[in-house]
Amino acid sequence: MKYDVVVVGAGPGGCVAAKTAAEKGLKTLVIERGSEIGDKIYSGCGLFPKMFRDFPFTKEVMNLPRTRISRTFSFRVLEPPPSYKTVLNVVVSPSKRLYEEGRELMTCNVYMKELVGFLADSAKKAGAEFRMATLVTDLLRKDGRIAGVRTDKGEEIWSDIVIAADGVLSLVARKAGLRAKWKPEEVVNICSITFSAPQEKMDEFTEEHECSTFLWVIPTIGGWYQVCFKDGFHIGGLGYPTGLISKRVEMRRRLVTDYLKIFEAPAVKRMLRRLEAKPVEWSMHPLTWRDEISPNIFTDGLMLVGDAAGFAEPFLASGVYEAMYSGKLAAEVAAEAIEKGDTSKNFLRRYYDRVLASPIGKEFELGRELRTLFGLFFTDEKFFDLITDLLNFGWVGMSNAAYPYIDSLRKAVQALLDNIPVLTLVLRLLSSALIASTSEPLSNVVRMMKAVVPLLGGK
Amino acid sequence: MEITLTLEDRRRLVRIVESTKDWLRVNIEKCTGCGNCVIACEMNLWSIKEGKARLSQDYRKWCMECGGCYISCPVDAIEFDFPPGGEGVAFRYG
C-alpha cells in the first residue's frame, strides 16, 4: 500500500495537513489511534479571530449547534484563600483604535471534539482517507529515509512523506530519533472539568455578563480559563506555575488539589448553583510550553507539526491555531518535495524556515520573556496589587465614599502621581524593548519590573 | 455546590476502554525511587515500594495517557508507548 503522504494523528494539525495535501492532489492517508475523531483530545477551546482570517473555511464552526461566540473577555482576580474576595472584575472589549474586529468576536467557543470532527470532515471532503483505531508503532525506512509507517495491525504503509501530528508525547518523533521526550520544564498538565448546564441558564448568564469567556486568577496559585458553550462550559486550569511538571514535582504539589481551589471561591460556587451545572467529564492533558522553536522538527521524509513539534505559543500555551498553521505549511512543503522528487532532509529544511517566518515563529521571537512575564502575573501578588491600584486611581478611587469626595480624589490623584515616575520608566523601557523586538531588552524590563514593582502602590 | 475530584469521581468522569496489551512500564534497574511519578499521576497509579516505583496492575483500566509520569522521570526509567488503536481514554466532549 503506497500513499504520497501519511499523516499520523487526526487532531487539528493532522486534519489541516491532510486537507491541504489532498487539495494539492496528493494521495493522503490519516492514521488515528482513537476509535472516533476527537477521542484523544481535550481542551474546551476558544478560537481567536486569526483562525477565521487565516483559515476561512473554519467560519462554519461558528454555526455549530453548541458553539457560543464571546465578543468580550472577562478577567477576574480573587484574593488567595481563605478570603477568595474579588479584587478585580473587568469585562474587556478592545477599543476601535486597537482592534476593530474584536468588537464583534473575541473568541468562538467550541468543544474540541466538535472542532476536530469538523476539520476531519473537511479533510475527507478534500479527498483524504482516514484509518481509525490504528496505532502507528514504528517507521519504515528505505535508503536511510523515512518512507512510511508500521501499524499495530501489522500493516506496512509506504509513503513519500510522513507528517507526524501525534501530540506532545509523539511516538513518531521518538522513533525518528528527533528527540527522546520533552523536558519536565517544557510540559504543563492541564486539569479540566466539562460541565453541562441547561441552555436557557447559559443564555441568561452569558447575556447578563455580555461575555462567554472568563479568565479567573488567584495570585500565587494560578489561573483558570472558562469557556462557555451553548449547553455547558469548561473550566480548565493551572498552566503556571503548578501545572508545569518540573515545578509540581519540585514543590511536591498535586495538580488536582490546586485546581480545585477555584471551586471554593464563593463567586464560583454561586455561578455553578445558578447555572445548575453538573460535571460530565474531566481530564488531565499535556501541553508543551516552550520558549523556543526546536530545529529538530524535520528529517529525511518526515515533518513534525503542532504539539509534536512543540508549537504551542509561549505566552498562553495555546496550540490549536499553531497546529493548524504548521499542518498547512508541512503539507505545502510535502507537495513541493514530491513534485521535485526530493524528500531529503535538505529539501524539507524549508518547512523549518517557513515556520520561523510564519506567525508561529513570530510568537516565539520573545518567547522566553513573555513566558516569564506571564509567570510573574500569576505568581506575584505585587503585580496584582499594581493592577488593582491602577484601576482604583481616578474615578473609582474617588468613589470609595470613605472620605469626602474631594479628599478621595486628592488621594487617588496623589497615588497616581507618586507612581508615575516608575510607571513611565517601565512603559518607556517596555515600549523600546518591544520595538527593538529582541529578547535582551525585554529580559531587562522583566528584571527591572521585578525590582521596582514591590516599591509601587505601597504609600 | 461542592465540586470534588475524589478518585471515585475521577474514574466516573472519564471513559476509558481497558487496554488489552501492556504499553507502560518502569525499568527497575534505572529507577531511583524519587517519587516524581507518584506526584505527577492524578489517577494514583504509581507508588514507591522498597525504594522503587511500582505501577498499579490497574493502569490499563484507569490511565488517562497524560504522560505526567513519563515526562517527570529524571532518569528515563519509564517507558511510555500508547495503548493499541481503539483502546485507552476516549473523551466524549473534549
Side-chain angles (χ1 to χ4, degrees), chain A residues 33 113 174 181 252 254, chain B residues 34 41 70 80 86 91-92:
Chain A
R33 67 190 180 95
K113 197 157 189 165
R174 285 184 263 160
K181 64 181 184 189
R252 293 327 230 193
R254 303 301 295 253
Chain B
C34 73
C41 180
Y70 165 68
F80 184 101
F91 293 119
R92 286 169 298 175

Side-chain angles (χ1 to χ4, degrees), chain A residues 191-208:
Chain A
C191 185
S192 329
I193 296 179
T194 303
F195 293 86
S196 76
Q199 186 169 337
E200 65 275 17
K201 299 276 176 194
M202 291 302 301
D203 289 347
E204 191 185 288
F205 175 79
T206 54
E207 277 161 25
E208 186 185 314

Side-chain angles (χ1 to χ4, degrees), chain A residues 281-349:
Chain A
E281 189 164 46
W282 93 291
S283 141
M284 283 277 291
H285 58 276
L287 304 177
T288 55
W289 201 347
R290 307 189 69 252
D291 50 23
E292 59 188 17
I293 292 179
S294 164
N296 296 324
I297 54 169
F298 64 100
T299 187
D300 295 301
L302 173 72
M303 287 171 276
L304 308 181
V305 307
D307 281 353
F311 286 157
E313 48 78 20
F315 188 55
L316 293 170
S318 62
V320 172
Y321 169 83
E322 287 72 13
M324 291 169 61
Y325 210 100
S326 58
K328 177 167 159 268
L329 293 178
E332 285 166 359
V333 171
E336 293 162 25
I338 288 166
E339 199 192 322
K340 287 266 179 337
D342 181 1
T343 59
S344 70
K345 184 175 177 178
N346 202 27
F347 190 93
L348 299 187
R349 178 176 300 276

Side-chain angles (χ1 to χ4, degrees), chain A residues 224-299:
Chain A
W224 293 257
Y225 58 92
Q226 175 182 359
V227 284
C228 295
F229 313 112
K230 278 276 162 58
D231 58 349
F233 56 96
H234 182 114
I235 296 184
L238 287 176
Y240 202 92
T242 44
L244 208 59
I245 291 180
S246 55
K247 289 273 179 204
R248 192 147 42 109
V249 295
E250 177 194 313
M251 296 189 294
R252 293 327 230 193
R253 262 156 81 165
R254 303 301 295 253
L255 182 62
V256 164
T257 312
D258 282 344
Y259 168 78
L260 286 174
K261 294 209 164 106
I262 193 68
F263 300 107
E264 286 165 23
V268 175
K269 283 189 178 182
R270 252 192 323 273
M271 174 185 72
L272 295 186
R273 199 166 49 235
R274 224 183 115 184
L275 287 171
E276 297 172 16
K278 287 188 184 61
V280 288
E281 189 164 46
W282 93 291
S283 141
M284 283 277 291
H285 58 276
L287 304 177
T288 55
W289 201 347
R290 307 189 69 252
D291 50 23
E292 59 188 17
I293 292 179
S294 164
N296 296 324
I297 54 169
F298 64 100
T299 187

Side-chain angles (χ1 to χ4, degrees), chain A residues 160-198:
Chain A
D160 291 332
I161 296 266
V162 175
I163 294 176
D166 56 341
V168 175
L169 307 170
S170 175
L171 198 68
V172 173
R174 285 184 263 160
K175 295 286 179 189
L178 285 171
R179 67 163 180 276
K181 64 181 184 189
W182 298 119
K183 298 190 193 85
E185 59 272 26
E186 296 175 323
V187 181
V188 287
N189 272 145
I190 301 291
C191 185
S192 329
I193 296 179
T194 303
F195 293 86
S196 76

Side-chain angles (χ1 to χ4, degrees), chain A residues 33 35 39-42 112-113 133 135 152 174 180-181 248 252 254-256 277 280-283 286, chain B residues 1 10 13 34 36 39-42 44 64-66 70 73 76 80 82 85-87 89 91-94:
Chain A
R33 67 190 180 95
S35 295
D39 269 5
K40 301 288 182 182
I41 199 163
Y42 209 91
M112 195 60 163
K113 197 157 189 165
L135 178 70
D152 62 345
R174 285 184 263 160
K181 64 181 184 189
R248 192 147 42 109
R252 293 327 230 193
R254 303 301 295 253
L255 182 62
V256 164
V280 288
E281 189 164 46
W282 93 291
S283 141
Chain B
M1 177 177 173
R10 291 175 226 176
L13 289 171
C34 73
N36 282 1
I39 296 289
C41 180
E42 297 292 352
N44 301 0
M64 286 179 107
E65 301 157 40
C66 80
Y70 165 68
C73 181
D76 295 335
F80 184 101
F82 287 113
E87 301 177 4
V89 73
F91 293 119
R92 286 169 298 175
Y93 295 85

